Amino acid sequence: MTSRVSGLGRALSLGLSLLLLAGCQTPQGASADKAAKVPRTASEDSGLELLPEQAAYDVRHVEVALQVFPEKKTIAGTGTLTVAVLSALDWLVVDLDPRLKVSAVRLSEGEGPAAAAIFEHRGPRLWIALGRTRAAGITLKAAIDYAGAPREAVRAPWDGSFVWAKTKDGQPWIATACQGEGADLWWPCKDHPSEKPDAFTLRIRVPEPLVVAANGRLVEVVPHGDGTRTYHWHTDYPINNYGVALNIAPYETVTADYKSVAGETVPVTYWVLPENRAEGEKILPEFIAHLNFYERTLGPYPFRGEKYGVAETPHLGMEHQSIIAYGNKYKGGTHGYDWLHHHELGHEWWANLVAVADWRDFWIHEGLCTYMQALYAEEREGAMAYHHAMYDSRRRIKNEHPMVPAGTSSMVKMSDTLGNEVYMKGSWIVHMLRYLVGRDQAGEVLRRFAYPTEAAARSTDGSACRIVTSEDFIRTANTVTGRDLGWFFNFYLYQPKLPKLVAEIEVDKVVLRWETPEGYPFPMPVEVEVDGRLERIEMPGGRAELDAARYGKAKLDPNLWILKETRLMDVMPPR
Ligand SMILES: [Zn+2]
């Protein structure tokens, strides 16, 4: 368990990754200093090893019914968890930040009546006594009444929970973001990426005229006649804990219908601040163009049975399921499109449809989304833009730690050790795979990793949502290509060192060979440029012999396909 986290290091390591993608200045200065002073508690990490009591149940449904008090910056209400017991259980243990005080817990089994339960808040977890041992196979429902001032985010989305901002005319503008610390900062949950509630209901009561934009479908808005109203949202799709979000402001909406490649018409809504309505109307077609790019590249938008939503947020952005947080202030990006929206939308496939079981495999979320931006640059501007994007990532890869650490890994551990690596080196895994197996097969690997079957791609009932590991990605690549690519993935995922490409003249031959740590087998082909033409040199056994007369002055890997020991300045000038 981590009891204290380095606020500055963490904020910078996560913060840099997104900001550098945008080509921004590094976020050093006043705001980062402020983040360093935020005290950290045990609740402020996600994905720590589960207690046996937590591994013993599976969350089926959650309802969070909260009243939000913007002036006091507090919340009050009830979180109701319906769980299936997987193995005999005496205590129901859920994560909940002790900043939130629990006043009562009601417990019921199956369809039985609810009764008050004894509970104890021990540090970051709430222990609910079940009175007697509950057997595997039964369903329990725990309704937890709680209230308090939730943790206030200082630099969301890099530190989390509630952001209490104001619109230009001073009205409340509130958002939640909790990927790093976990949803237990504002509702009771099992704070681990392997746990996805199968369905989720939100009933959020706010002062009028505030609007709540959240996940799934808006079921109803209930006025209470006292200047408040309740927004009732519901999703029938499995959802990551951190994917659940509240966005509260005097929003207006900009809407459109989008025809999915799968045939359905998907309602698209952008919840925009009134002062930015004109900008909102202007950017909606771009949001839809991004949606279409992803559908053509990976398969249908996964949550088209409900909606595609974007909410304008006071923080930069986050991949909240079917309600993407957008806070890029209409600034676009260096490649002529809004990189932030494009990045977060990519997570609807790589995070929300396909989610990692443990944060150790975080590169699957961030690396694949980073790679998607290079592909989009290629589609818009051609090969040079693609290679520029990959070069930009290459310069930030450090190779100090294995990209997939051994054993389980919490979010804090990942960001403290790897930081940007999951974005940059993660994108390079797919880039190299593309050279190794060809563009068509690499594209097919991505499509099959998103949707293993055509039936999964066609489904709209949530059955396509799944939880994966790096090993699943390797299996998909092997299946699609009909090859054993274990040597490639094992080399780049599980150890940090790079191969070195050595070229030596031996009489009338050029001998090309890969030098690897401990002689690890590395039959990676190499692109060479001879007389202005590109050739692919196969390297069986990690070695090739070439005619010195022809290849003596060949340029090796001029397009930088392979992550290896490289003097980058020799290859391509930085932009
Ligand atoms: Zn991301």
Side-chain angles (χ1 to χ4, degrees), residues 522-563:
F522 195 73
M524 187 75 175
V526 178
E527 187 175 69
V528 300
E529 186 182 325
V530 187
D531 299 331
R533 294 179 57 177
L534 295 171
E535 284 181 33
R536 178 182 173 108
I537 307 296
E538 297 298 334
M539 301 276 283
R543 183 185 159 92
E545 292 187 3
L546 307 169
D547 175 11
R550 175 162 171 73
Y551 293 95
K553 291 187 178 172
K555 290 180 187 154
L556 306 177
D557 192 23
N559 283 313
L560 214 58
W561 282 109
I562 304 165
L563 186 53

Short mmCIF file of all heavy atoms in Angstrom, two decimals, residues 522-563:
data_model
loop_
_atom_site.label_atom_id
_atom_site.label_comp_id
_atom_site.label_asym_id
_atom_site.label_seq_id
_atom_site.Cartn_x
_atom_site.Cartn_y
_atom_site.Cartn_z
N PHE A 522 16.93 -12.04 -32.27
CA PHE A 522 16.27 -10.82 -32.73
C PHE A 522 16.32 -10.75 -34.26
O PHE A 522 17.09 -9.99 -34.85
CB PHE A 522 16.97 -9.61 -32.10
CG PHE A 522 16.17 -8.34 -32.21
CD1 PHE A 522 15.04 -8.14 -31.43
CD2 PHE A 522 16.55 -7.34 -33.09
CE1 PHE A 522 14.31 -6.97 -31.53
CE2 PHE A 522 15.81 -6.16 -33.20
CZ PHE A 522 14.70 -5.98 -32.41
N PRO A 523 15.48 -11.53 -34.92
CA PRO A 523 15.52 -11.58 -36.40
C PRO A 523 14.72 -10.44 -37.05
O PRO A 523 13.91 -10.67 -37.94
CB PRO A 523 14.89 -12.94 -36.69
CG PRO A 523 13.92 -13.16 -35.57
CD PRO A 523 14.51 -12.50 -34.35
N MET A 524 14.96 -9.21 -36.61
CA MET A 524 14.18 -8.07 -37.10
C MET A 524 14.71 -7.62 -38.46
O MET A 524 15.90 -7.29 -38.58
CB MET A 524 14.29 -6.93 -36.09
CG MET A 524 13.39 -5.76 -36.39
SD MET A 524 11.68 -6.19 -35.94
CE MET A 524 10.88 -4.64 -36.22
N PRO A 525 13.87 -7.59 -39.49
CA PRO A 525 14.33 -7.11 -40.80
C PRO A 525 14.69 -5.62 -40.72
O PRO A 525 14.23 -4.91 -39.84
CB PRO A 525 13.13 -7.34 -41.72
CG PRO A 525 11.96 -7.43 -40.81
CD PRO A 525 12.45 -7.95 -39.50
N VAL A 526 15.52 -5.19 -41.66
CA VAL A 526 16.00 -3.81 -41.64
C VAL A 526 15.75 -3.18 -43.01
O VAL A 526 16.05 -3.79 -44.04
CB VAL A 526 17.51 -3.75 -41.32
CG1 VAL A 526 18.01 -2.31 -41.36
CG2 VAL A 526 17.80 -4.38 -39.97
N GLU A 527 15.22 -1.98 -43.00
CA GLU A 527 15.06 -1.24 -44.26
C GLU A 527 16.37 -0.52 -44.55
O GLU A 527 16.97 0.08 -43.65
CB GLU A 527 13.92 -0.23 -44.12
CG GLU A 527 13.57 0.46 -45.43
CD GLU A 527 12.36 1.37 -45.28
OE1 GLU A 527 12.49 2.41 -44.60
OE2 GLU A 527 11.30 1.05 -45.82
N VAL A 528 16.82 -0.60 -45.81
CA VAL A 528 18.02 0.15 -46.20
C VAL A 528 17.70 0.97 -47.44
O VAL A 528 16.82 0.61 -48.24
CB VAL A 528 19.23 -0.78 -46.48
CG1 VAL A 528 19.58 -1.59 -45.25
CG2 VAL A 528 18.96 -1.68 -47.67
N GLU A 529 18.43 2.06 -47.58
CA GLU A 529 18.26 2.90 -48.77
C GLU A 529 19.53 2.82 -49.60
O GLU A 529 20.63 3.11 -49.12
CB GLU A 529 17.99 4.35 -48.35
CG GLU A 529 17.66 5.25 -49.54
CD GLU A 529 17.44 6.70 -49.11
OE1 GLU A 529 16.91 6.93 -48.01
OE2 GLU A 529 17.83 7.58 -49.88
N VAL A 530 19.36 2.36 -50.84
CA VAL A 530 20.49 2.23 -51.76
C VAL A 530 20.14 2.97 -53.05
O VAL A 530 19.08 2.70 -53.63
CB VAL A 530 20.76 0.74 -52.11
CG1 VAL A 530 22.03 0.61 -52.93
CG2 VAL A 530 20.85 -0.10 -50.86
N ASP A 531 20.98 3.86 -53.46
CA ASP A 531 20.75 4.63 -54.69
C ASP A 531 19.34 5.24 -54.71
O ASP A 531 18.64 5.19 -55.72
CB ASP A 531 20.94 3.75 -55.94
CG ASP A 531 22.36 3.20 -56.00
OD1 ASP A 531 23.27 3.88 -55.49
OD2 ASP A 531 22.54 2.09 -56.54
N GLY A 532 18.92 5.75 -53.57
CA GLY A 532 17.62 6.42 -53.50
C GLY A 532 16.43 5.49 -53.45
O GLY A 532 15.29 5.94 -53.47
N ARG A 533 16.67 4.17 -53.38
CA ARG A 533 15.55 3.23 -53.31
C ARG A 533 15.59 2.46 -51.99
O ARG A 533 16.65 2.17 -51.46
CB ARG A 533 15.61 2.25 -54.48
CG ARG A 533 15.38 2.95 -55.80
CD ARG A 533 15.48 1.99 -56.96
NE ARG A 533 14.54 0.88 -56.82
CZ ARG A 533 14.40 -0.07 -57.75
NH1 ARG A 533 15.14 -0.04 -58.84
NH2 ARG A 533 13.54 -1.04 -57.58
N LEU A 534 14.39 2.12 -51.50
CA LEU A 534 14.29 1.41 -50.22
C LEU A 534 14.21 -0.09 -50.46
O LEU A 534 13.51 -0.54 -51.37
CB LEU A 534 13.04 1.88 -49.46
CG LEU A 534 13.05 3.34 -49.02
CD1 LEU A 534 11.68 3.75 -48.48
CD2 LEU A 534 14.13 3.58 -47.96
N GLU A 535 14.95 -0.84 -49.67
CA GLU A 535 14.90 -2.30 -49.74
C GLU A 535 14.74 -2.86 -48.34
O GLU A 535 15.20 -2.26 -47.38
CB GLU A 535 16.23 -2.86 -50.30
CG GLU A 535 16.39 -2.70 -51.78
CD GLU A 535 17.72 -3.32 -52.23
OE1 GLU A 535 18.16 -4.32 -51.62
OE2 GLU A 535 18.31 -2.77 -53.17
N ARG A 536 14.13 -4.01 -48.26
CA ARG A 536 13.97 -4.68 -46.97
C ARG A 536 14.97 -5.83 -46.91
O ARG A 536 14.98 -6.71 -47.77
CB ARG A 536 12.55 -5.21 -46.85
CG ARG A 536 12.24 -5.98 -45.58
CD ARG A 536 10.80 -6.46 -45.67
NE ARG A 536 10.42 -7.34 -44.60
CZ ARG A 536 9.59 -7.00 -43.60
NH1 ARG A 536 9.09 -5.79 -43.55
NH2 ARG A 536 9.27 -7.87 -42.67
N ILE A 537 15.82 -5.79 -45.90
CA ILE A 537 16.81 -6.86 -45.72
C ILE A 537 16.32 -7.78 -44.60
O ILE A 537 16.16 -7.34 -43.46
CB ILE A 537 18.19 -6.28 -45.33
CG1 ILE A 537 18.64 -5.21 -46.34
CG2 ILE A 537 19.21 -7.40 -45.18
CD1 ILE A 537 18.87 -5.72 -47.74
N GLU A 538 16.05 -9.02 -44.94
CA GLU A 538 15.65 -9.99 -43.91
C GLU A 538 16.88 -10.35 -43.08
O GLU A 538 18.00 -10.40 -43.61
CB GLU A 538 15.04 -11.24 -44.55
CG GLU A 538 13.75 -10.96 -45.33
CD GLU A 538 12.61 -10.41 -44.47
OE1 GLU A 538 12.59 -10.67 -43.25
OE2 GLU A 538 11.74 -9.70 -45.03
N MET A 539 16.68 -10.61 -41.81
CA MET A 539 17.81 -10.87 -40.90
C MET A 539 17.59 -12.18 -40.14
O MET A 539 17.52 -12.18 -38.91
CB MET A 539 17.93 -9.71 -39.90
CG MET A 539 18.17 -8.34 -40.52
SD MET A 539 19.90 -8.03 -40.89
CE MET A 539 20.53 -7.67 -39.25
N PRO A 540 17.50 -13.30 -40.85
CA PRO A 540 17.32 -14.57 -40.12
C PRO A 540 18.52 -14.80 -39.20
O PRO A 540 19.66 -14.57 -39.60
CB PRO A 540 17.26 -15.62 -41.25
CG PRO A 540 17.88 -14.96 -42.44
CD PRO A 540 17.66 -13.49 -42.30
N GLY A 541 18.24 -15.19 -37.98
CA GLY A 541 19.33 -15.36 -37.02
C GLY A 541 19.92 -14.03 -36.58
O GLY A 541 20.99 -13.98 -35.98
N GLY A 542 19.24 -12.92 -36.93
CA GLY A 542 19.72 -11.60 -36.52
C GLY A 542 20.91 -11.12 -37.32
O GLY A 542 21.68 -10.27 -36.87
N ARG A 543 21.06 -11.63 -38.57
CA ARG A 543 22.28 -11.34 -39.32
C ARG A 543 22.01 -11.42 -40.82
O ARG A 543 21.16 -12.19 -41.27
CB ARG A 543 23.30 -12.42 -38.90
CG ARG A 543 24.67 -12.30 -39.48
CD ARG A 543 25.49 -13.52 -39.05
NE ARG A 543 26.60 -13.70 -39.97
CZ ARG A 543 27.80 -13.17 -39.77
NH1 ARG A 543 28.05 -12.47 -38.70
NH2 ARG A 543 28.76 -13.35 -40.66
N ALA A 544 22.73 -10.60 -41.58
CA ALA A 544 22.66 -10.68 -43.04
C ALA A 544 24.01 -10.31 -43.63
O ALA A 544 24.74 -9.48 -43.07
CB ALA A 544 21.57 -9.75 -43.57
N GLU A 545 24.33 -10.94 -44.76
CA GLU A 545 25.58 -10.59 -45.47
C GLU A 545 25.19 -9.99 -46.81
O GLU A 545 24.42 -10.58 -47.57
CB GLU A 545 26.43 -11.85 -45.67
CG GLU A 545 26.99 -12.38 -44.37
CD GLU A 545 27.98 -13.52 -44.58
OE1 GLU A 545 28.27 -13.85 -45.75
OE2 GLU A 545 28.45 -14.07 -43.57
N LEU A 546 25.75 -8.81 -47.09
CA LEU A 546 25.36 -8.09 -48.30
C LEU A 546 26.61 -7.78 -49.13
O LEU A 546 27.72 -7.68 -48.60
CB LEU A 546 24.67 -6.77 -47.93
CG LEU A 546 23.49 -6.89 -46.96
CD1 LEU A 546 23.07 -5.51 -46.46
CD2 LEU A 546 22.31 -7.58 -47.64
N ASP A 547 26.38 -7.59 -50.40
CA ASP A 547 27.47 -7.27 -51.32
C ASP A 547 27.97 -5.85 -51.04
O ASP A 547 27.21 -4.88 -51.16
CB ASP A 547 26.92 -7.39 -52.75
CG ASP A 547 27.94 -6.97 -53.79
OD1 ASP A 547 29.13 -6.80 -53.42
OD2 ASP A 547 27.55 -6.79 -54.96
N ALA A 548 29.25 -5.73 -50.69
CA ALA A 548 29.79 -4.43 -50.29
C ALA A 548 29.76 -3.43 -51.44
O ALA A 548 29.57 -2.23 -51.23
CB ALA A 548 31.21 -4.59 -49.76
N ALA A 549 29.92 -3.92 -52.66
CA ALA A 549 29.92 -3.00 -53.81
C ALA A 549 28.59 -2.27 -53.92
O ALA A 549 28.52 -1.10 -54.28
CB ALA A 549 30.21 -3.79 -55.09
N ARG A 550 27.51 -2.99 -53.58
CA ARG A 550 26.19 -2.37 -53.70
C ARG A 550 25.75 -1.69 -52.40
O ARG A 550 25.15 -0.63 -52.41
CB ARG A 550 25.16 -3.44 -54.11
CG ARG A 550 23.73 -2.93 -54.13
CD ARG A 550 22.81 -3.83 -54.94
NE ARG A 550 21.41 -3.46 -54.77
CZ ARG A 550 20.85 -2.39 -55.30
NH1 ARG A 550 21.58 -1.57 -56.04
NH2 ARG A 550 19.58 -2.14 -55.10
N TYR A 551 26.06 -2.33 -51.27
CA TYR A 551 25.48 -1.86 -49.99
C TYR A 551 26.48 -1.12 -49.10
O TYR A 551 26.15 -0.75 -47.99
CB TYR A 551 24.90 -3.05 -49.22
CG TYR A 551 23.70 -3.66 -49.90
CD1 TYR A 551 23.85 -4.76 -50.75
CD2 TYR A 551 22.42 -3.13 -49.71
CE1 TYR A 551 22.76 -5.32 -51.39
CE2 TYR A 551 21.33 -3.69 -50.35
CZ TYR A 551 21.50 -4.79 -51.19
OH TYR A 551 20.42 -5.33 -51.82
N GLY A 552 27.69 -0.91 -49.61
CA GLY A 552 28.73 -0.30 -48.78
C GLY A 552 28.34 1.06 -48.22
O GLY A 552 28.74 1.42 -47.13
N LYS A 553 27.54 1.81 -48.99
CA LYS A 553 27.15 3.15 -48.52
C LYS A 553 25.65 3.24 -48.26
O LYS A 553 25.08 4.34 -48.25
CB LYS A 553 27.58 4.20 -49.54
CG LYS A 553 29.09 4.36 -49.61
CD LYS A 553 29.50 5.51 -50.49
CE LYS A 553 31.02 5.65 -50.47
NZ LYS A 553 31.50 6.61 -51.45
N ALA A 554 25.02 2.09 -48.05
CA ALA A 554 23.57 2.09 -47.83
C ALA A 554 23.24 2.81 -46.52
O ALA A 554 24.00 2.75 -45.55
CB ALA A 554 23.05 0.66 -47.77
N LYS A 555 22.09 3.49 -46.52
CA LYS A 555 21.60 4.09 -45.27
C LYS A 555 20.74 3.04 -44.56
O LYS A 555 19.87 2.43 -45.18
CB LYS A 555 20.76 5.33 -45.56
CG LYS A 555 21.58 6.49 -46.07
CD LYS A 555 20.69 7.69 -46.34
CE LYS A 555 21.50 8.80 -47.00
NZ LYS A 555 20.67 9.68 -47.81
N LEU A 556 21.00 2.88 -43.28
CA LEU A 556 20.29 1.84 -42.51
C LEU A 556 19.08 2.43 -41.80
O LEU A 556 19.20 3.45 -41.11
CB LEU A 556 21.24 1.22 -41.48
CG LEU A 556 22.56 0.68 -42.03
CD1 LEU A 556 23.43 0.15 -40.90
CD2 LEU A 556 22.30 -0.42 -43.06
N ASP A 557 17.95 1.81 -42.00
CA ASP A 557 16.71 2.21 -41.32
C ASP A 557 16.47 3.73 -41.42
O ASP A 557 16.27 4.40 -40.40
CB ASP A 557 16.76 1.77 -39.84
CG ASP A 557 15.40 1.89 -39.15
OD1 ASP A 557 14.36 1.88 -39.85
OD2 ASP A 557 15.38 2.01 -37.91
N PRO A 558 16.49 4.28 -42.64
CA PRO A 558 16.40 5.74 -42.77
C PRO A 558 15.06 6.31 -42.33
O PRO A 558 14.97 7.48 -41.98
CB PRO A 558 16.62 5.97 -44.27
CG PRO A 558 16.18 4.69 -44.91
CD PRO A 558 16.55 3.60 -43.94
N ASN A 559 14.01 5.49 -42.35
CA ASN A 559 12.69 5.98 -41.91
C ASN A 559 12.41 5.72 -40.44
O ASN A 559 11.31 5.98 -39.97
CB ASN A 559 11.58 5.36 -42.76
CG ASN A 559 11.50 6.02 -44.12
OD1 ASN A 559 11.51 7.24 -44.21
ND2 ASN A 559 11.46 5.22 -45.17
N LEU A 560 13.43 5.19 -39.75
CA LEU A 560 13.31 4.99 -38.31
C LEU A 560 12.11 4.11 -37.96
O LEU A 560 11.19 4.52 -37.27
CB LEU A 560 13.20 6.35 -37.61
CG LEU A 560 13.83 6.47 -36.24
CD1 LEU A 560 15.32 6.15 -36.29
CD2 LEU A 560 13.63 7.85 -35.65
N TRP A 561 12.16 2.88 -38.45
CA TRP A 561 11.09 1.93 -38.13
C TRP A 561 11.37 1.17 -36.84
O TRP A 561 10.46 0.60 -36.25
CB TRP A 561 10.94 0.90 -39.27
CG TRP A 561 10.21 1.41 -40.47
CD1 TRP A 561 10.75 1.69 -41.70
CD2 TRP A 561 8.81 1.70 -40.57
NE1 TRP A 561 9.77 2.14 -42.55
CE2 TRP A 561 8.57 2.16 -41.89
CE3 TRP A 561 7.74 1.63 -39.68
CZ2 TRP A 561 7.31 2.52 -42.33
CZ3 TRP A 561 6.48 2.00 -40.13
CH2 TRP A 561 6.27 2.44 -41.44
N ILE A 562 12.64 1.09 -36.47
CA ILE A 562 13.00 0.16 -35.39
C ILE A 562 13.57 0.91 -34.20
O ILE A 562 14.44 1.77 -34.36
CB ILE A 562 14.02 -0.88 -35.90
CG1 ILE A 562 13.44 -1.60 -37.12
CG2 ILE A 562 14.35 -1.89 -34.80
CD1 ILE A 562 14.45 -2.36 -37.91
N LEU A 563 13.04 0.58 -33.04
CA LEU A 563 13.52 1.18 -31.80
C LEU A 563 14.82 0.49 -31.42
O LEU A 563 14.83 -0.67 -31.02
CB LEU A 563 12.45 0.98 -30.71
CG LEU A 563 12.68 1.66 -29.37
CD1 LEU A 563 12.94 3.15 -29.55
CD2 LEU A 563 11.46 1.44 -28.49
#
